[in-house]
Amino acid sequence: MARLLIILAVIAGLVWLHARIVRPSPVVDKSHHFDGEHFFNPQPIDHGFGLLMKWVLNRDRGPWADYVEYPPGPIPAQRVVGNELKVTLVGHATVLIQTSGLNILTDPIWADRAGPTLFIGTRRIRPPAIRFDDLPPIDLVLVSHGHYDHMNMATLKRLFNVHKPQFLLPLGQGKYLRRAGISGVTELDWWQSHTFESQKLSSDSAMTEVWLVPARHWTARWIGDQNRA
């Protein structure tokens, strides 16, 4: 019994320490959606624990396969120039957007699981529609928030090592990438924008402006760091 209590105490201590380590420090002054510690919706929604459990117990998941093997889709073009727009759904929230000579990826995840380790987290049931090695040169990566099925560090580091893109994230999320040795990180607050220059196949260049807009959601990477970025 004493050994079990010691093990539980060690686990609790590690959880607390990890939460302290991964918790981003305050990044902006207080505002109408940041109180100095947490980000929040100015118009709160009653999504408490009771409603969560009600959804978990009453949801109808329907048929759900363990894994379905699909052949990869066609290799995308290296560049799409001019005003033409090509959008390819890779899987989940990962989308390849090609326009004006710029290749953009949203919430990229080329991993078997979405979680803090290789063994913990939701397992994907089909492969990405585009193989990682078939990606065109990636110029810009957009990450919407810190949940593991949207911010997959293994994929982000792989993209950084291979493509050296720019990374655009909401305020407070860039800290995780910088800790992993990833550079070229830009953070935006609600309704802020950032302009990127893309090189076309010709000698001209195009300017692409990206805006960050609010969403009614929450974020966390571990226990104790909810909505701190």
Side-chain angles (χ1 to χ4, degrees), residues 9-20:
V10 170
I11 293 174
L14 290 174
V15 169
W16 178 86
L17 180 61
H18 191 280
R20 298 291 296 182

Side-chain angles (χ1 to χ4, degrees), residues 63-79:
W64 195 256
D66 290 334
Y67 190 80
V68 180
E69 186 64 56
Y70 278 88
I75 298 176
Q78 290 292 292
R79 299 283 177 184

Side-chain angles (χ1 to χ4, degrees), residues 73-90 94-106 110 130 134-142 163 198-201 206 208:
I75 298 176
Q78 290 292 292
R79 299 283 177 184
V80 174
V81 299
N83 294 325
E84 183 182 356
L85 173 66
K86 184 175 182 181
V87 179
T88 304
L89 176 62
V90 180
T94 305
V95 176
L96 173 64
I97 304 170
Q98 297 179 280
T99 186
S100 301
L102 189 69
N103 292 328
I104 304 170
L105 273 179
T106 67
W110 270 263
I130 301 174
D134 290 340
L135 284 172
I138 301 301
D139 306 297
L140 178 60
V141 175
L142 308 179
H163 295 275
S198 57
Q199 191 69 36
K200 294 183 179 181
L201 295 179
T208 301

Side-chain angles (χ1 to χ4, degrees), residues 13-201:
L14 290 174
V15 169
W16 178 86
L17 180 61
H18 191 280
R20 298 291 296 182
I21 292 174
V22 303
R23 185 180 72 182
S25 56
V27 288
V28 293
D29 295 330
K30 293 182 180 180
S31 71
H32 78 298
H33 60 276
F34 182 66
D35 61 9
E37 286 288 334
H38 296 87
F39 290 87
F40 58 89
N41 289 313
Q43 298 176 340
I45 306 174
D46 183 16
H47 283 177
F49 182 74
L51 287 177
L52 173 63
M53 293 307 300
K54 182 179 179 181
W55 171 76
V56 169
L57 295 174
N58 295 286
R59 61 178 173 165
D60 181 11
R61 298 188 64 184
W64 195 256
D66 290 334
Y67 190 80
V68 180
E69 186 64 56
Y70 278 88
I75 298 176
Q78 290 292 292
R79 299 283 177 184
V80 174
V81 299
N83 294 325
E84 183 182 356
L85 173 66
K86 184 175 182 181
V87 179
T88 304
L89 176 62
V90 180
H92 192 48
T94 305
V95 176
L96 173 64
I97 304 170
Q98 297 179 280
T99 186
S100 301
L102 189 69
N103 292 328
I104 304 170
L105 273 179
T106 67
D107 291 347
I109 175 169
W110 270 263
D112 293 332
R113 289 187 183 274
T117 72
L118 295 175
F119 311 103
I120 300 176
T122 303
R123 185 176 183 271
R124 74 183 314 146
I125 65 168
R126 65 178 64 189
I130 301 174
R131 292 179 297 193
F132 186 90
D133 292 339
D134 290 340
L135 284 172
I138 301 301
D139 306 297
L140 178 60
V141 175
L142 308 179
V143 179
S144 62
H145 62 294
H147 282 153
Y148 286 100
D149 56 330
H150 295 263
M151 182 192 289
N152 181 261
M153 293 307 302
T155 300
L156 295 178
K157 287 189 286 188
R158 192 176 178 188
L159 285 166
F160 174 72
N161 291 331
V162 175
H163 295 275
K164 294 294 188 295
Q166 296 292 306
F167 296 87
L168 187 63
L169 306 93
L171 200 62
Q173 298 288 350
K175 186 172 187 176
Y176 302 113
L177 276 67
R178 296 186 186 98
R179 283 177 173 169
I182 297 174
S183 60
V185 177
T186 300
E187 299 176 65
L188 297 180
D189 199 2
W190 293 1
W191 301 114
Q192 288 183 338
S193 65
H194 192 80
T195 301
F196 295 87
E197 183 175 5
S198 57
Q199 191 69 36
K200 294 183 179 181
L201 295 179

